[in-house]
Amino acid sequence: MAGAEINDGVVQDANERGEKLLPGDFLLWIEREHAEEAPGVSEELFRGYEEALSEQPASFEPGELRSSLEETLVDSETWVDDETVYDLGDDRISTFPATWHDRLRDSDDLREYVAVIENATIDDEIATGGRGPGVPEGLLLDAASVIGGIDREVAKERLERHRDDGALIQDADQHPDARVYLGEEVRDMRDPWLE
């Protein structure tokens, strides 16, 4: 498997999820574990994880999760939606499109992640009746951990620091889908009478 080792913790977490395990979540967990390698994960690595999972009590059949991923797999280089899995070429798949990997893989700046993701997702949010500007916190943290290789807890701490210094603004963070905005966007959206 090109030197990549199966992380037993990922397999155990997936096993504990059992029938509630979504193939896209499984792929995301694998990507987080192998974030420092090339973008996405190889089909071979995904099959290795799937085989390891099939040996667990949750008893997924080999190929079952990969077959389910096939239903949402696209070869688009740009964002489609959060239920899509992206074919990156070279036998690699990801929960994020190739353009995000290309633009963000060398960045650890959450402000840049917000700018790129918001630009890519805003049309989808509006078309589906979503909440418009800003980036859902979970999507931001997942992208930073998968694409940038930033530990999710470290990314959360950076988000809090950026909130404190006003570079990023966030909806009430107890909301399950709290949105994150660039500081200057919020200033631009304010009505003059609020100044």
Side-chain angles (χ1 to χ4, degrees):
M1 242 178 294
E5 292 187 25
I6 302 296
N7 179 295
D8 293 334
V10 170
V11 175
Q12 185 61 38
D13 289 346
N15 181 60
E16 288 173 8
R17 182 80 62 97
E19 291 181 7
K20 295 179 183 174
L21 176 66
L22 299 173
D25 289 344
F26 190 45
L27 175 60
L28 178 67
W29 297 346
I30 297 168
E31 282 190 282
R32 275 191 202 142
E33 182 59 32
H34 299 275
E36 294 178 11
E37 298 176 10
V41 297
S42 69
E43 293 274 3
E44 181 182 13
L45 182 60
F46 187 87
R47 283 192 303 271
Y49 269 95
E50 189 174 37
E51 184 177 311
L53 182 59
S54 71
E55 296 169 1
Q56 299 297 312
S59 68
F60 285 93
E61 295 296 320
E64 181 180 347
L65 292 171
R66 179 60 183 90
S67 178
S68 293
L69 272 185
E70 193 70 37
E71 297 171 14
T72 60
L73 184 67
V74 299
D75 62 3
S76 174
E77 291 189 6
T78 58
W79 178 257
V80 175
D81 61 37
D82 60 3
E83 295 179 5
T84 298
V85 175
Y86 300 87
D87 182 343
L88 301 180
D90 297 326
D91 205 32
R92 300 188 74 80
I93 56 177
S94 177
T95 50
F96 302 108
T99 52
W100 292 17
H101 285 279
D102 292 343
R103 295 211 38 214
L104 296 168
R105 85 171 126 229
D106 295 325
S107 177
D108 63 357
D109 186 344
L110 291 185
R111 295 168 300 178
E112 189 172 354
Y113 279 81
V114 170
V116 168
I117 295 170
E118 181 180 42
N119 186 52
T121 61
I122 188 72
D123 291 338
D124 175 56
E125 290 285 328
I126 292 169
T128 59
R131 297 183 47 206
V135 174
E137 179 183 327
L139 179 60
L140 172 64
L141 298 177
D142 286 340
S145 67
V146 167
I147 297 170
I150 305 168
D151 179 84
R152 208 164 192 279
E153 289 305 311
V154 170
K156 179 78 171 165
E157 290 169 9
R158 288 181 187 175
L159 174 57
E160 290 172 13
R161 279 198 310 270
H162 282 311
R163 278 193 330 220
D164 290 345
D165 68 19
L168 293 174
I169 310 296
Q170 185 173 19
D171 290 342
D173 66 358
Q174 65 269 25
H175 188 281
D177 195 23
R179 299 181 79 82
V180 180
Y181 309 84
L182 291 172
E184 62 265 16
E185 286 179 357
V186 171
R187 284 190 292 277
D188 291 343
M189 288 189 293
R190 284 189 180 153
D191 288 328
W193 61 270
L194 291 174
E195 297 298 333

